[in-house]
Every structure is written in structure tokens, then in C-alpha cells.
Amino acid sequence: MSRMQPQILLLKDGTESAQGKQQVISNINACSAIVDAIRTTLGPRGMDKLIVDGRGKATISNDGATIMKLLDVVHPAAKTLVDIAKSQDAEVGDGTTSVVILAGEFLKQCKPFVEEGVHPRIIIRAFRKATALALAKIEEIAIKIDKGKPEEYRQLLEKCAATSMSSKLINQQRDYFSKMVVEAVMMLDPQTLPLNMIGIKKVSGGALEDTQLVSGVAFKKTFSYAGFEMQQKGYSNPKIALLNIELELKAEKDNAEVRLENVEEYQKVVDAEWNILYDKLDRIAASGAKVVLSKLPIGDVATQYFADKGMFCAGRVVEEDLNRTMKSCGGSIQSTVHDLNDETLATCETFEEKQVGGERFNFFYGCPKSQSCTIIVRGGAEQFMEETERSLHDAIMIVRRAMKNDSVVAGGGAIDMELSKYLRNYSRTIAGKEQLIIGAMAKAFEVIARQLCDNAGFDATNILNKLRQKHAGDGVWYGVDILNEDIADNYAACVWEPTIVKANAITAASEATCLLLSVDETVKNPRSGQGEQQGGGMPGGMGRGRGRPM
């Protein structure tokens, strides 16, 4: 009997290892499962998803990136899709659903080749080539924006914002909101277009149409002490002091011991403390400031003092709001009161405090340097307002992108069908396996138009056939017409999106596909699975400290 071969143990006991063709196919299947979860949210007729997290908080959303973040994906390969959705959200802001669907479809079209034993490297090479061709084609047919005519330019930006909103909850009011978003972005610094200078505040109650854009700064009234009611609630051309100082008597934190012989000495200590506070207050009043905003609390003594002097104060202002006030009204945030002069004080035309819904808001209008604005979102339910905020964020990002990159393409599946035709025709001119793979990628591009039809309940095959026929001719911008269950020239119908949205989506989807195809083995360490099961008990491997934080 021949000697038995001893078994070689390379990896820890319990390690899962999968490799080869099966592994690639199982990764593709995992990604398809994720795509199916998000597929129905695409387009103006897309459905919304309700996701309840571990703590029971419900989120209703149509935004691909939000849904992908909230899905707790465990499969290592499928996490790639979550990452591309996040990157699309960070880079462009919209098109997050399309990028996931495209990547999923690319993988799906590759699957038969992998099963038949085509080497993944060949597929990857063909995909890279096709991606480069597609991007070049987009550049070639994109339509440049003429910034010379402000009226047309503005309308164009509004169209882009409206296209971004058409698939969101607020698409009924998209004309109203797209004007608001363009106006908001136009107010920013044209060089950098900083996002954080547009504040979005949510106030429940009222209708969506009550949402207003404040050209300046608005924030919720902060916590206030007695004496606040006596303060004036409106000023014209006030000077504004922005402080980072506590204006109240502080209880000493240190256990200092002061030995006093008699009452007079004690009185001196108390007086000194009061004098320090009053000295600060006198200096602020002397500087001519009428509105005092501070990041730290303003106590009741100070509130009374300001009220007597006919000044307005607000303590505990959120830092972000204080910075926005500084950016629009000028001035600078001071941490001492010794330097208050016209340079460090901010100004605005009018300041007032008004009731918005159940909250009181402080408004600053007519700011001299106004490069900041605030959108106050109204609406019935909390989830609804959150979704509105996400939709506005997407639209704002799209308008920013359109302003920075001055070219647009037609949406609604038009550009995708055109690329599909282009790649299909190109694939016929080359020999070898690449012909089949580029042809498969061309077929994958049709998924956007097909999904738009499916989500709207149209006959997808019918409409896709019409589209193919149009694109084979010269109907470059023909796409799905959601309103009439037909096809239409989407460029004429003003369904536009910035070129960078599509270019970024195609690049990201193709990179994700290449990445997943190039993985042929997964090794899962046994530790990684156990961490979650032990969450309840005492963490293993800890000594006598019993897992207390160090």
C-alpha cells in the first residue's frame, strides 16, 4: 500500500476559500441581486424604497446612493457597487442609480463569456477599449453651452435641474424648485461654488410650495434667557458682532480655596467677577453693534443688559450658521471684545426675527458680500422633507457641474442608445473575440432605456425597437418619452443632463466591472465572521478590564 499523502494545512481551520471560474460567476450573481434591489427606482416613474435600519429609523428614498448606503451589504464583491454609487454621489451628485444599473448590466453581459471560458483579461481589455471609445463619442456629440447669453444660459441650467428632479418625489413642483436651485447656485462665489454656503433648513408644517429661498442667512432662533422678549425684533442696517465668547457669570470649575477675613473682602471678589462681565458688555455696546451673535451661551444678565440698550442677542449659534453669516455679511468672528471696530463687525440691510411654521427664525437680508443663501424647506412629514432635501442636494450638484463643465447631452436613455449603436457598429469592424465583447457592452447600454420603460409600465421591446430604428438613422437625441408612452427627441423636449454625469457613470461602471472580473479567488478568514456573533457577550480575548474603554 502506498504511503498516504499527509494533508497540508495552509490556512486556519474554518477559512472559506473559493476560486476559479465559479468565483467570478458567484460575484456577478451577487452584484445582480443588488442591482435588482435598486433597479425600479430609475427615472420619472421610478418607485421609492422604504428602508428601516437597525434602530428602527425609516428612510424613504429614491436616491441611489442613499439606498446603497443604507443597505448593509456584506458580500465583499457587491460592496464595489456601493462604492461606485458613493463616488458618483460625491463627484457629480446625480446619476447614482444609473451607475449601479450600468455596472450590473455590464457584468450580466459578461457572464456567458466567463461561463464559456473566455479569459477575464481578454474581456477586461475589450471593456477598457470600449469605454475609451464611448467617452470619446460623448465628447464628440455633446452640445456646448453658450455662456454669452445669460437668459438662455439660465434656462439651460433650469432644464438640467428639472431633469435631475424629474425622478424624485418633488417632480410635481419641479418648475418652482429648479428656478430656486439655479438662483441659489448663482448667488455663490462663481470660482469655487462652495456647497456649504447653501444652508438647507427643514421646518415641518405648511405645503411644499411654502419653501422659500432667503438671499442671505437664516437660522433657527437659539436658546434664550429671560429678558429676550423685551428685545427689538427688527433692525435696518445694523452692525453685527460675531463672537466666540461666553457672556455669563461662570461657576469656578477649579477647587480653588480663597480665605477671606470679612464680608467686605468677599464682596470685592464678587464685584470683580461682575465687573469683568460688565466691562465686556460695555465694550460690545460701545462698538455700536446692534445684533450680537455668539457661539457660546449668552446668560440672563447679558440678555437683560442688551434688551435695555435696545440690542438683539443670540447665544449658542451653530458654528456653521455663524460662518455663513460671516461669509455673507463680512466681519470676522472675534474671541475678545477689545477689537470690535468697523472692520471686524458685520453689516446687513435688514435683520428680523419671523415665525416660520412652529419655529422662530432669524433672517439677515441684503448682505453686502452675499455669497451664501438659505433654503427653508417646508412639508408635512419628516421623511418627506428629508427626501426633498436629498433631491435639492442632487439638483444643486447638477447645476454646479453644469456651470463648471459647459456641455450637456440629452437624458432619458437617448445618449445611451446612441452609444449602444456606435459601439455595435464599431464592433463589426474588428475581428477576434473583442468583437463579441464590445457588442455585448453595446447591448448593455440599452438597459437604461429598457429600465425607464419597465418602470413606467410600457412595452419595453416595442419602444426599444423604435429607438434602435431612429438611432440607426440620424435621430441622435431620440429617447424614451415617458409622458406619451412613445419615443421623442429628448434634446428638443429639454431632458438634459451635464455631460460629466454620463461620462463619470460610464467610467465608474466600467472600472467596477473590470475590477470584479479580475478577482478569481476569495479567502475569508474565520475571525471576520465571528465578530458579529460575539457582539452580545463579552468580547473574547479581553483580560480583567472586561472590555471597558481605555
Side-chain angles (χ1 to χ4, degrees), residues 38-53:
I38 203 175
R39 173 164 277 169
T40 51
T41 65
L42 184 76
R45 295 279 185 275
M47 309 301 263
D48 295 350
K49 304 288 179 203
L50 191 150
I51 299 168
V52 185
D53 64 6

Side-chain angles (χ1 to χ4, degrees), residues 165-166 168-177 209:
M165 288 180 201
S166 63
K168 306 279 189 269
L169 268 177
I170 52 175
N171 71 349
Q172 301 298 319
Q173 287 89 3
R174 64 169 181 249
D175 297 343
Y176 176 72
F177 278 111
E209 288 84 35

Side-chain angles (χ1 to χ4, degrees), residues 380-407:
E382 188 64 34
Q383 280 106 342
F384 188 69
M385 286 188 323
E386 280 176 13
E387 178 60 11
T388 308
E389 183 185 5
R390 279 191 290 268
S391 313
L392 286 175
H393 169 262
D394 280 12
I396 288 169
M397 291 290 281
I398 283 293
V399 175
R400 280 181 62 202
R401 284 289 160 228
M403 283 172 83
K404 283 187 183 170
N405 308 70
D406 47 356
S407 60

Side-chain angles (χ1 to χ4, degrees), residues 6-77:
Q7 195 185 3
I8 300 174
L9 272 181
L10 257 187
L11 302 167
K12 236 191 215 160
D13 192 22
T15 306
E16 298 170 35
S17 163
Q19 63 192 102
K21 196 198 296 184
Q22 271 328 101
Q23 180 55 47
V24 181
I25 290 171
S26 106
N27 284 350
I28 293 179
N29 291 343
C31 293
S32 300
I34 280 212
V35 174
D36 287 341
I38 203 175
R39 173 164 277 169
T40 51
T41 65
L42 184 76
R45 295 279 185 275
M47 309 301 263
D48 295 350
K49 304 288 179 203
L50 191 150
I51 299 168
V52 185
D53 64 6
R55 279 169 277 167
K57 181 177 184 290
T59 311
I60 298 177
S61 180
N62 187 299
D63 180 35
T66 312
I67 298 170
M68 296 299 271
K69 275 180 207 151
L70 293 171
L71 289 177
D72 228 349
V73 181
V74 207
H75 194 284

Side-chain angles (χ1 to χ4, degrees), residues 23 27 45 70 74 88 93 118 157 202 238 289 302 332 372 391 411 446 465 494 515 517 520 527:
Q23 180 55 47
N27 284 350
R45 295 279 185 275
L70 293 171
V74 207
Q88 178 82 0
V118 178
L157 292 176
K202 303 190 284 278
S332 57
S372 132
S391 313
E446 292 179 352
N465 283 338
C494 299
L515 183 68
L517 285 173
D520 74 334
R527 273 301 294 134

Side-chain angles (χ1 to χ4, degrees), residues 124-139:
I124 290 173
R125 197 168 68 226
F127 258 89
R128 294 234 160 98
K129 189 170 177 184
T131 308
L133 287 167
L135 293 179
K137 179 72 175 168
I138 291 184
E139 278 302 306

Side-chain angles (χ1 to χ4, degrees), residues 452-472:
L452 284 171
C453 298
D454 285 348
N455 287 353
F458 302 161
D459 179 353
T461 323
N462 216 345
I463 288 185
L464 275 173
N465 283 338
K466 285 186 190 171
L467 278 177
R468 285 193 199 110
Q469 180 228 333
K470 273 288 182 203
H471 280 273

